[in-house]
mmCIF file of all heavy atoms in Angstrom:
data_model
loop_
_atom_site.group_PDB
_atom_site.id
_atom_site.type_symbol
_atom_site.label_atom_id
_atom_site.label_comp_id
_atom_site.label_asym_id
_atom_site.label_seq_id
_atom_site.Cartn_x
_atom_site.Cartn_y
_atom_site.Cartn_z
ATOM 1 N N LEU A 1 142.517 1.562 -216.127
ATOM 2 C CA LEU A 1 141.324 2.018 -216.889
ATOM 3 C C LEU A 1 140.916 3.445 -216.549
ATOM 4 O O LEU A 1 140.450 4.199 -217.405
ATOM 5 C CB LEU A 1 140.156 1.079 -216.658
ATOM 6 C CG LEU A 1 140.235 -0.342 -217.289
ATOM 7 C CD1 LEU A 1 139.111 -1.214 -216.809
ATOM 8 C CD2 LEU A 1 140.161 -0.163 -218.823
ATOM 9 N N TRP A 2 141.086 3.814 -215.263
ATOM 10 C CA TRP A 2 140.681 5.101 -214.802
ATOM 11 C C TRP A 2 141.740 5.750 -213.911
ATOM 12 O O TRP A 2 142.360 5.044 -213.106
ATOM 13 C CB TRP A 2 139.380 5.001 -213.974
ATOM 14 C CG TRP A 2 138.178 4.499 -214.697
ATOM 15 C CD1 TRP A 2 137.813 3.193 -214.853
ATOM 16 C CD2 TRP A 2 137.232 5.274 -215.371
ATOM 17 N NE1 TRP A 2 136.669 3.109 -215.619
ATOM 18 C CE2 TRP A 2 136.269 4.358 -215.928
ATOM 19 C CE3 TRP A 2 137.039 6.649 -215.607
ATOM 20 C CZ2 TRP A 2 135.154 4.803 -216.700
ATOM 21 C CZ3 TRP A 2 135.961 7.070 -216.353
ATOM 22 C CH2 TRP A 2 135.018 6.154 -216.868
ATOM 23 N N ASP A 3 141.901 7.050 -214.054
ATOM 24 C CA ASP A 3 142.642 7.834 -213.041
ATOM 25 C C ASP A 3 141.606 8.360 -212.081
ATOM 26 O O ASP A 3 140.550 8.863 -212.475
ATOM 27 C CB ASP A 3 143.366 8.991 -213.720
ATOM 28 C CG ASP A 3 144.558 8.553 -214.571
ATOM 29 O OD1 ASP A 3 145.080 7.454 -214.291
ATOM 30 O OD2 ASP A 3 144.917 9.288 -215.501
ATOM 31 N N ILE A 4 141.922 8.262 -210.772
ATOM 32 C CA ILE A 4 140.983 8.653 -209.745
ATOM 33 C C ILE A 4 141.580 9.694 -208.826
ATOM 34 O O ILE A 4 142.674 9.479 -208.249
ATOM 35 C CB ILE A 4 140.562 7.415 -208.898
ATOM 36 C CG1 ILE A 4 139.960 6.315 -209.811
ATOM 37 C CG2 ILE A 4 139.580 7.791 -207.790
ATOM 38 C CD1 ILE A 4 139.763 4.973 -209.098
ATOM 39 N N GLU A 5 140.893 10.837 -208.711
ATOM 40 C CA GLU A 5 141.409 11.910 -207.856
ATOM 41 C C GLU A 5 140.247 12.338 -206.903
ATOM 42 O O GLU A 5 139.099 12.402 -207.285
ATOM 43 C CB GLU A 5 141.786 13.126 -208.686
ATOM 44 C CG GLU A 5 142.928 12.819 -209.665
ATOM 45 C CD GLU A 5 143.149 14.010 -210.608
ATOM 46 O OE1 GLU A 5 143.829 14.963 -210.193
ATOM 47 O OE2 GLU A 5 142.672 13.932 -211.733
ATOM 48 N N VAL A 6 140.628 12.578 -205.668
ATOM 49 C CA VAL A 6 139.683 13.039 -204.669
ATOM 50 C C VAL A 6 140.042 14.470 -204.277
ATOM 51 O O VAL A 6 141.190 14.761 -203.928
ATOM 52 C CB VAL A 6 139.696 12.144 -203.412
ATOM 53 C CG1 VAL A 6 138.699 12.648 -202.353
ATOM 54 C CG2 VAL A 6 139.348 10.684 -203.773
ATOM 55 N N GLY A 7 139.095 15.368 -204.388
ATOM 56 C CA GLY A 7 139.303 16.743 -204.060
ATOM 57 C C GLY A 7 138.388 17.215 -202.928
ATOM 58 O O GLY A 7 137.351 16.640 -202.677
ATOM 59 N N TYR A 8 138.815 18.290 -202.285
ATOM 60 C CA TYR A 8 138.002 18.896 -201.210
ATOM 61 C C TYR A 8 137.813 20.391 -201.543
ATOM 62 O O TYR A 8 138.825 21.150 -201.626
ATOM 63 C CB TYR A 8 138.722 18.769 -199.881
ATOM 64 C CG TYR A 8 137.994 19.403 -198.715
ATOM 65 C CD1 TYR A 8 136.845 18.848 -198.202
ATOM 66 C CD2 TYR A 8 138.496 20.599 -198.115
ATOM 67 C CE1 TYR A 8 136.170 19.418 -197.125
ATOM 68 C CE2 TYR A 8 137.832 21.187 -197.060
ATOM 69 C CZ TYR A 8 136.688 20.599 -196.593
ATOM 70 O OH TYR A 8 136.016 21.178 -195.520
ATOM 71 N N VAL A 9 136.557 20.773 -201.803
ATOM 72 C CA VAL A 9 136.249 22.146 -202.113
ATOM 73 C C VAL A 9 136.102 22.921 -200.833
ATOM 74 O O VAL A 9 135.100 22.784 -200.125
ATOM 75 C CB VAL A 9 134.959 22.251 -202.961
ATOM 76 C CG1 VAL A 9 134.678 23.715 -203.358
ATOM 77 C CG2 VAL A 9 135.047 21.392 -204.224
ATOM 78 N N THR A 10 137.146 23.656 -200.468
ATOM 79 C CA THR A 10 137.228 24.293 -199.184
ATOM 80 C C THR A 10 136.074 25.232 -198.899
ATOM 81 O O THR A 10 135.507 25.268 -197.795
ATOM 82 C CB THR A 10 138.564 25.050 -199.054
ATOM 83 O OG1 THR A 10 139.663 24.150 -199.394
ATOM 84 C CG2 THR A 10 138.768 25.547 -197.628
ATOM 85 N N SER A 11 135.727 26.033 -199.928
ATOM 86 C CA SER A 11 134.675 27.045 -199.698
ATOM 87 C C SER A 11 133.341 26.488 -199.364
ATOM 88 O O SER A 11 132.502 27.137 -198.817
ATOM 89 C CB SER A 11 134.559 27.928 -200.957
ATOM 90 O OG SER A 11 134.123 27.178 -202.062
ATOM 91 N N GLU A 12 133.083 25.225 -199.763
ATOM 92 C CA GLU A 12 131.766 24.619 -199.554
ATOM 93 C C GLU A 12 131.819 23.374 -198.692
ATOM 94 O O GLU A 12 130.780 22.656 -198.480
ATOM 95 C CB GLU A 12 131.107 24.312 -200.910
ATOM 96 C CG GLU A 12 130.965 25.565 -201.758
ATOM 97 C CD GLU A 12 130.153 25.341 -203.003
ATOM 98 O OE1 GLU A 12 129.187 24.556 -202.953
ATOM 99 O OE2 GLU A 12 130.482 25.973 -204.046
ATOM 100 N N ASP A 13 133.017 23.036 -198.131
ATOM 101 C CA ASP A 13 133.134 21.915 -197.207
ATOM 102 C C ASP A 13 132.541 20.607 -197.816
ATOM 103 O O ASP A 13 131.708 19.966 -197.194
ATOM 104 C CB ASP A 13 132.490 22.252 -195.852
ATOM 105 C CG ASP A 13 132.768 21.222 -194.773
ATOM 106 O OD1 ASP A 13 133.827 20.555 -194.889
ATOM 107 O OD2 ASP A 13 131.934 21.071 -193.856
ATOM 108 N N ILE A 14 132.988 20.261 -198.996
ATOM 109 C CA ILE A 14 132.460 19.081 -199.663
ATOM 110 C C ILE A 14 133.554 18.386 -200.459
ATOM 111 O O ILE A 14 134.442 19.014 -201.045
ATOM 112 C CB ILE A 14 131.280 19.461 -200.585
ATOM 113 C CG1 ILE A 14 130.531 18.249 -201.001
ATOM 114 C CG2 ILE A 14 131.734 20.310 -201.771
ATOM 115 C CD1 ILE A 14 129.155 18.549 -201.691
ATOM 116 N N TYR A 15 133.495 17.055 -200.510
ATOM 117 C CA TYR A 15 134.408 16.262 -201.245
ATOM 118 C C TYR A 15 133.840 15.986 -202.662
ATOM 119 O O TYR A 15 132.647 15.730 -202.784
ATOM 120 C CB TYR A 15 134.671 14.903 -200.572
ATOM 121 C CG TYR A 15 135.539 14.992 -199.327
ATOM 122 C CD1 TYR A 15 134.956 15.129 -198.049
ATOM 123 C CD2 TYR A 15 136.933 14.872 -199.422
ATOM 124 C CE1 TYR A 15 135.694 15.194 -196.919
ATOM 125 C CE2 TYR A 15 137.701 14.906 -198.260
ATOM 126 C CZ TYR A 15 137.075 15.079 -197.012
ATOM 127 O OH TYR A 15 137.853 15.136 -195.884
ATOM 128 N N ILE A 16 134.692 16.087 -203.682
ATOM 129 C CA ILE A 16 134.315 15.641 -204.996
ATOM 130 C C ILE A 16 135.335 14.685 -205.559
ATOM 131 O O ILE A 16 136.497 14.666 -205.114
ATOM 132 C CB ILE A 16 134.121 16.853 -205.952
ATOM 133 C CG1 ILE A 16 135.418 17.603 -206.171
ATOM 134 C CG2 ILE A 16 132.974 17.753 -205.494
ATOM 135 C CD1 ILE A 16 135.277 18.694 -207.241
ATOM 136 N N VAL A 17 134.917 13.923 -206.551
ATOM 137 C CA VAL A 17 135.790 12.924 -207.179
ATOM 138 C C VAL A 17 135.858 13.176 -208.650
ATOM 139 O O VAL A 17 134.850 13.480 -209.295
ATOM 140 C CB VAL A 17 135.241 11.504 -206.934
ATOM 141 C CG1 VAL A 17 136.094 10.446 -207.636
ATOM 142 C CG2 VAL A 17 135.145 11.175 -205.437
ATOM 143 N N LYS A 18 137.073 13.122 -209.202
ATOM 144 C CA LYS A 18 137.256 13.264 -210.635
ATOM 145 C C LYS A 18 137.675 11.859 -211.181
ATOM 146 O O LYS A 18 138.712 11.322 -210.778
ATOM 147 C CB LYS A 18 138.328 14.282 -210.975
ATOM 148 C CG LYS A 18 138.528 14.498 -212.477
ATOM 149 C CD LYS A 18 139.642 15.512 -212.745
ATOM 150 C CE LYS A 18 139.821 15.720 -214.264
ATOM 151 N NZ LYS A 18 140.910 16.685 -214.506
ATOM 152 N N LEU A 19 136.892 11.329 -212.091
ATOM 153 C CA LEU A 19 137.189 10.036 -212.714
ATOM 154 C C LEU A 19 137.501 10.275 -214.188
ATOM 155 O O LEU A 19 136.704 10.762 -214.948
ATOM 156 C CB LEU A 19 135.960 9.091 -212.609
ATOM 157 C CG LEU A 19 135.597 8.734 -211.179
ATOM 158 C CD1 LEU A 19 134.215 8.104 -211.143
ATOM 159 C CD2 LEU A 19 136.591 7.722 -210.605
ATOM 160 N N THR A 20 138.764 9.961 -214.569
ATOM 161 C CA THR A 20 139.202 10.191 -215.955
ATOM 162 C C THR A 20 139.471 8.887 -216.625
ATOM 163 O O THR A 20 140.282 8.057 -216.165
ATOM 164 C CB THR A 20 140.515 11.049 -215.958
ATOM 165 O OG1 THR A 20 140.319 12.244 -215.261
ATOM 166 C CG2 THR A 20 140.944 11.351 -217.386
ATOM 167 N N SER A 21 138.795 8.637 -217.721
ATOM 168 C CA SER A 21 138.956 7.403 -218.519
ATOM 169 C C SER A 21 140.274 7.435 -219.227
ATOM 170 O O SER A 21 140.652 8.452 -219.826
ATOM 171 C CB SER A 21 137.824 7.211 -219.478
ATOM 172 O OG SER A 21 138.111 6.113 -220.338
ATOM 173 N N ASN A 22 141.017 6.338 -219.220
ATOM 174 C CA ASN A 22 142.250 6.247 -219.973
ATOM 175 C C ASN A 22 142.068 5.562 -221.331
ATOM 176 O O ASN A 22 143.014 5.234 -222.042
ATOM 177 C CB ASN A 22 143.306 5.450 -219.169
ATOM 178 C CG ASN A 22 143.891 6.325 -218.054
ATOM 179 O OD1 ASN A 22 144.189 7.528 -218.246
ATOM 180 N ND2 ASN A 22 144.029 5.770 -216.855
ATOM 181 N N LEU A 23 140.775 5.369 -221.709
ATOM 182 C CA LEU A 23 140.509 4.913 -223.073
ATOM 183 C C LEU A 23 140.594 6.127 -223.997
ATOM 184 O O LEU A 23 140.802 7.256 -223.553
ATOM 185 C CB LEU A 23 139.113 4.271 -223.146
ATOM 186 C CG LEU A 23 138.948 3.012 -222.230
ATOM 187 C CD1 LEU A 23 137.565 2.402 -222.462
ATOM 188 C CD2 LEU A 23 140.025 1.963 -222.522
ATOM 189 N N ARG A 24 140.355 5.961 -225.246
ATOM 190 C CA ARG A 24 140.480 7.033 -226.223
ATOM 191 C C ARG A 24 139.604 8.229 -225.820
ATOM 192 O O ARG A 24 138.481 8.109 -225.449
ATOM 193 C CB ARG A 24 140.080 6.579 -227.591
ATOM 194 C CG ARG A 24 141.052 5.553 -228.204
ATOM 195 C CD ARG A 24 140.730 5.252 -229.668
ATOM 196 N NE ARG A 24 141.631 4.233 -230.195
ATOM 197 C CZ ARG A 24 141.636 3.859 -231.502
ATOM 198 N NH1 ARG A 24 140.775 4.411 -232.323
ATOM 199 N NH2 ARG A 24 142.468 2.926 -231.897
ATOM 200 N N GLY A 25 140.204 9.389 -225.918
ATOM 201 C CA GLY A 25 139.474 10.623 -225.614
ATOM 202 C C GLY A 25 139.807 11.205 -224.282
ATOM 203 O O GLY A 25 139.659 12.378 -224.033
ATOM 204 N N LYS A 26 140.230 10.348 -223.331
ATOM 205 C CA LYS A 26 140.606 10.817 -221.973
ATOM 206 C C LYS A 26 139.508 11.671 -221.364
ATOM 207 O O LYS A 26 139.784 12.701 -220.779
ATOM 208 C CB LYS A 26 141.931 11.551 -222.034
ATOM 209 C CG LYS A 26 143.122 10.723 -222.393
ATOM 210 C CD LYS A 26 143.611 9.843 -221.311
ATOM 211 C CE LYS A 26 144.279 10.631 -220.201
ATOM 212 N NZ LYS A 26 144.869 9.783 -219.156
ATOM 213 N N LYS A 27 138.244 11.311 -221.552
ATOM 214 C CA LYS A 27 137.157 12.107 -221.002
ATOM 215 C C LYS A 27 137.058 11.853 -219.479
ATOM 216 O O LYS A 27 137.497 10.838 -218.975
ATOM 217 C CB LYS A 27 135.833 11.698 -221.644
ATOM 218 C CG LYS A 27 135.768 12.113 -223.130
ATOM 219 C CD LYS A 27 134.419 11.778 -223.725
ATOM 220 C CE LYS A 27 134.371 12.210 -225.170
ATOM 221 N NZ LYS A 27 133.010 11.950 -225.755
ATOM 222 N N TYR A 28 136.489 12.852 -218.794
ATOM 223 C CA TYR A 28 136.423 12.773 -217.348
ATOM 224 C C TYR A 28 135.078 13.207 -216.838
ATOM 225 O O TYR A 28 134.314 13.854 -217.525
ATOM 226 C CB TYR A 28 137.519 13.592 -216.700
ATOM 227 C CG TYR A 28 137.433 15.072 -217.036
ATOM 228 C CD1 TYR A 28 136.675 15.931 -216.209
ATOM 229 C CD2 TYR A 28 138.140 15.610 -218.114
ATOM 230 C CE1 TYR A 28 136.591 17.309 -216.505
ATOM 231 C CE2 TYR A 28 138.079 16.973 -218.391
ATOM 232 C CZ TYR A 28 137.315 17.789 -217.579
ATOM 233 O OH TYR A 28 137.216 19.116 -217.873
ATOM 234 N N LYS A 29 134.806 12.898 -215.597
ATOM 235 C CA LYS A 29 133.577 13.298 -214.951
ATOM 236 C C LYS A 29 133.858 13.647 -213.517
ATOM 237 O O LYS A 29 134.507 12.896 -212.798
ATOM 238 C CB LYS A 29 132.524 12.172 -215.012
ATOM 239 C CG LYS A 29 131.187 12.595 -214.373
ATOM 240 C CD LYS A 29 130.116 11.537 -214.648
ATOM 241 C CE LYS A 29 128.774 12.027 -214.074
ATOM 242 N NZ LYS A 29 128.317 13.276 -214.634
ATOM 243 N N TYR A 30 133.275 14.791 -212.995
ATOM 244 C CA TYR A 30 133.300 15.134 -211.620
ATOM 245 C C TYR A 30 131.984 14.677 -210.989
ATOM 246 O O TYR A 30 130.936 14.806 -211.566
ATOM 247 C CB TYR A 30 133.402 16.659 -211.440
ATOM 248 C CG TYR A 30 134.823 17.237 -211.623
ATOM 249 C CD1 TYR A 30 135.164 17.944 -212.741
ATOM 250 C CD2 TYR A 30 135.755 17.043 -210.615
ATOM 251 C CE1 TYR A 30 136.403 18.503 -212.907
ATOM 252 C CE2 TYR A 30 137.029 17.616 -210.771
ATOM 253 C CZ TYR A 30 137.346 18.308 -211.879
ATOM 254 O OH TYR A 30 138.600 18.875 -212.006
ATOM 255 N N VAL A 31 132.100 14.142 -209.772
ATOM 256 C CA VAL A 31 130.940 13.676 -209.023
ATOM 257 C C VAL A 31 131.095 14.075 -207.552
ATOM 258 O O VAL A 31 132.212 13.926 -207.010
ATOM 259 C CB VAL A 31 130.733 12.149 -209.114
ATOM 260 C CG1 VAL A 31 129.416 11.743 -208.446
ATOM 261 C CG2 VAL A 31 130.800 11.669 -210.551
ATOM 262 N N LYS A 32 130.040 14.582 -206.959
ATOM 263 C CA LYS A 32 130.087 14.787 -205.506
ATOM 264 C C LYS A 32 130.216 13.405 -204.850
ATOM 265 O O LYS A 32 129.481 12.477 -205.212
ATOM 266 C CB LYS A 32 128.836 15.503 -205.032
ATOM 267 C CG LYS A 32 128.797 16.970 -205.442
ATOM 268 C CD LYS A 32 127.679 17.728 -204.794
ATOM 269 C CE LYS A 32 126.361 17.420 -205.452
ATOM 270 N NZ LYS A 32 125.278 18.273 -204.922
ATOM 271 N N LEU A 33 131.082 13.310 -203.858
ATOM 272 C CA LEU A 33 131.341 11.982 -203.287
ATOM 273 C C LEU A 33 130.103 11.316 -202.727
ATOM 274 O O LEU A 33 129.905 10.109 -202.999
ATOM 275 C CB LEU A 33 132.403 12.099 -202.159
ATOM 276 C CG LEU A 33 133.038 10.753 -201.739
ATOM 277 C CD1 LEU A 33 134.448 10.964 -201.280
ATOM 278 C CD2 LEU A 33 132.244 10.119 -200.608
ATOM 279 N N ASN A 34 129.230 12.037 -202.081
ATOM 280 C CA ASN A 34 128.017 11.408 -201.541
ATOM 281 C C ASN A 34 127.103 10.859 -202.629
ATOM 282 O O ASN A 34 126.382 9.889 -202.409
ATOM 283 C CB ASN A 34 127.258 12.392 -200.646
ATOM 284 C CG ASN A 34 126.697 13.557 -201.416
ATOM 285 O OD1 ASN A 34 127.428 14.293 -202.057
ATOM 286 N ND2 ASN A 34 125.403 13.719 -201.405
ATOM 287 N N GLU A 35 127.206 11.453 -203.844
ATOM 288 C CA GLU A 35 126.335 10.975 -204.942
ATOM 289 C C GLU A 35 126.798 9.684 -205.525
ATOM 290 O O GLU A 35 126.063 9.046 -206.280
ATOM 291 C CB GLU A 35 126.226 12.082 -206.012
ATOM 292 C CG GLU A 35 125.420 13.313 -205.501
ATOM 293 C CD GLU A 35 125.188 14.302 -206.609
ATOM 294 O OE1 GLU A 35 125.820 14.206 -207.673
ATOM 295 O OE2 GLU A 35 124.366 15.250 -206.417
ATOM 296 N N LEU A 36 128.033 9.277 -205.246
ATOM 297 C CA LEU A 36 128.464 7.946 -205.656
ATOM 298 C C LEU A 36 127.618 6.880 -205.015
ATOM 299 O O LEU A 36 127.447 5.756 -205.622
ATOM 300 C CB LEU A 36 129.928 7.722 -205.245
ATOM 301 C CG LEU A 36 130.992 8.542 -205.969
ATOM 302 C CD1 LEU A 36 132.331 8.351 -205.304
ATOM 303 C CD2 LEU A 36 131.063 8.152 -207.450
ATOM 304 N N TYR A 37 127.001 7.156 -203.902
ATOM 305 C CA TYR A 37 126.086 6.240 -203.246
ATOM 306 C C TYR A 37 124.646 6.437 -203.694
ATOM 307 O O TYR A 37 123.922 5.482 -204.002
ATOM 308 C CB TYR A 37 126.182 6.361 -201.736
ATOM 309 C CG TYR A 37 127.534 6.075 -201.150
ATOM 310 C CD1 TYR A 37 128.453 7.082 -200.932
ATOM 311 C CD2 TYR A 37 127.883 4.745 -200.863
ATOM 312 C CE1 TYR A 37 129.725 6.763 -200.421
ATOM 313 C CE2 TYR A 37 129.132 4.449 -200.338
ATOM 314 C CZ TYR A 37 130.025 5.436 -200.109
ATOM 315 O OH TYR A 37 131.289 5.186 -199.588
ATOM 316 N N THR A 38 124.190 7.694 -203.729
ATOM 317 C CA THR A 38 122.775 7.972 -203.964
ATOM 318 C C THR A 38 122.378 7.874 -205.446
ATOM 319 O O THR A 38 121.206 7.747 -205.759
ATOM 320 C CB THR A 38 122.388 9.370 -203.457
ATOM 321 O OG1 THR A 38 123.187 10.349 -204.131
ATOM 322 C CG2 THR A 38 122.681 9.500 -201.960
ATOM 323 N N ARG A 39 123.374 7.940 -206.366
ATOM 324 C CA ARG A 39 123.074 7.914 -207.790
ATOM 325 C C ARG A 39 123.882 6.810 -208.471
ATOM 326 O O ARG A 39 124.249 6.929 -209.605
ATOM 327 C CB ARG A 39 123.403 9.245 -208.422
ATOM 328 C CG ARG A 39 122.586 10.422 -207.912
ATOM 329 C CD ARG A 39 123.140 11.767 -208.422
ATOM 330 N NE ARG A 39 123.311 11.737 -209.878
ATOM 331 C CZ ARG A 39 124.264 12.414 -210.547
ATOM 332 N NH1 ARG A 39 125.168 13.119 -209.854
ATOM 333 N NH2 ARG A 39 124.360 12.337 -211.848
ATOM 334 N N GLU A 40 124.057 5.720 -207.797
ATOM 335 C CA GLU A 40 124.969 4.637 -208.281
ATOM 336 C C GLU A 40 124.594 4.197 -209.706
ATOM 337 O O GLU A 40 125.479 4.218 -210.610
ATOM 338 C CB GLU A 40 124.888 3.437 -207.335
ATOM 339 C CG GLU A 40 125.749 2.271 -207.881
ATOM 340 C CD GLU A 40 125.746 1.063 -206.930
ATOM 341 O OE1 GLU A 40 125.550 1.211 -205.728
ATOM 342 O OE2 GLU A 40 125.917 -0.081 -207.442
ATOM 343 N N ALA A 41 123.397 3.787 -209.999
ATOM 344 C CA ALA A 41 123.039 3.240 -211.290
ATOM 345 C C ALA A 41 123.230 4.269 -212.392
ATOM 346 O O ALA A 41 123.752 4.004 -213.477
ATOM 347 C CB ALA A 41 121.623 2.726 -211.251
ATOM 348 N N GLU A 42 122.803 5.484 -212.091
ATOM 349 C CA GLU A 42 122.919 6.591 -213.049
ATOM 350 C C GLU A 42 124.356 6.884 -213.373
ATOM 351 O O GLU A 42 124.765 7.075 -214.541
ATOM 352 C CB GLU A 42 122.257 7.847 -212.492
ATOM 353 C CG GLU A 42 122.347 9.064 -213.414
ATOM 354 C CD GLU A 42 121.782 10.327 -212.764
ATOM 355 O OE1 GLU A 42 121.209 10.206 -211.657
ATOM 356 O OE2 GLU A 42 121.942 11.400 -213.321
ATOM 357 N N ILE A 43 125.222 6.928 -212.368
ATOM 358 C CA ILE A 43 126.654 7.252 -212.597
ATOM 359 C C ILE A 43 127.331 6.149 -213.360
ATOM 360 O O ILE A 43 128.182 6.428 -214.239
ATOM 361 C CB ILE A 43 127.351 7.561 -211.238
ATOM 362 C CG1 ILE A 43 126.797 8.900 -210.672
ATOM 363 C CG2 ILE A 43 128.865 7.647 -211.444
ATOM 364 C CD1 ILE A 43 127.240 9.205 -209.284
ATOM 365 N N ILE A 44 127.101 4.884 -213.024
ATOM 366 C CA ILE A 44 127.666 3.766 -213.762
ATOM 367 C C ILE A 44 127.276 3.923 -215.240
ATOM 368 O O ILE A 44 128.122 3.731 -216.119
ATOM 369 C CB ILE A 44 127.202 2.414 -213.201
ATOM 370 C CG1 ILE A 44 127.857 2.177 -211.813
ATOM 371 C CG2 ILE A 44 127.545 1.304 -214.160
ATOM 372 C CD1 ILE A 44 127.342 0.930 -211.119
ATOM 373 N N HIS A 45 126.026 4.191 -215.508
ATOM 374 C CA HIS A 45 125.545 4.358 -216.899
ATOM 375 C C HIS A 45 126.307 5.510 -217.581
ATOM 376 O O HIS A 45 126.725 5.344 -218.763
ATOM 377 C CB HIS A 45 124.037 4.669 -216.898
ATOM 378 C CG HIS A 45 123.473 4.873 -218.271
ATOM 379 N ND1 HIS A 45 123.327 3.874 -219.178
ATOM 380 C CD2 HIS A 45 123.085 6.023 -218.856
ATOM 381 C CE1 HIS A 45 122.825 4.373 -220.277
ATOM 382 N NE2 HIS A 45 122.676 5.684 -220.145
ATOM 383 N N GLN A 46 126.503 6.622 -216.897
ATOM 384 C CA GLN A 46 127.214 7.785 -217.478
ATOM 385 C C GLN A 46 128.667 7.436 -217.766
ATOM 386 O O GLN A 46 129.212 7.809 -218.821
ATOM 387 C CB GLN A 46 127.108 8.984 -216.603
ATOM 388 C CG GLN A 46 125.703 9.546 -216.457
ATOM 389 C CD GLN A 46 125.574 10.600 -215.379
ATOM 390 O OE1 GLN A 46 126.481 10.785 -214.541
ATOM 391 N NE2 GLN A 46 124.465 11.321 -215.420
ATOM 392 N N LEU A 47 129.310 6.730 -216.856
ATOM 393 C CA LEU A 47 130.713 6.368 -217.039
ATOM 394 C C LEU A 47 130.916 5.409 -218.186
ATOM 395 O O LEU A 47 131.968 5.429 -218.878
ATOM 396 C CB LEU A 47 131.300 5.815 -215.721
ATOM 397 C CG LEU A 47 131.367 6.798 -214.554
ATOM 398 C CD1 LEU A 47 131.857 6.054 -213.301
ATOM 399 C CD2 LEU A 47 132.299 7.973 -214.848
#
């Protein structure tokens, strides 16, 4: 259902996640890794 990639932005010492839907449109969303915890309900709604 989703392609999942974890990236590390070297210049800012932070991890981000790219979630790409494999349903029609192949839309994607970048999220700071720590926000997967602090914004759980909001991110689920957006996805």
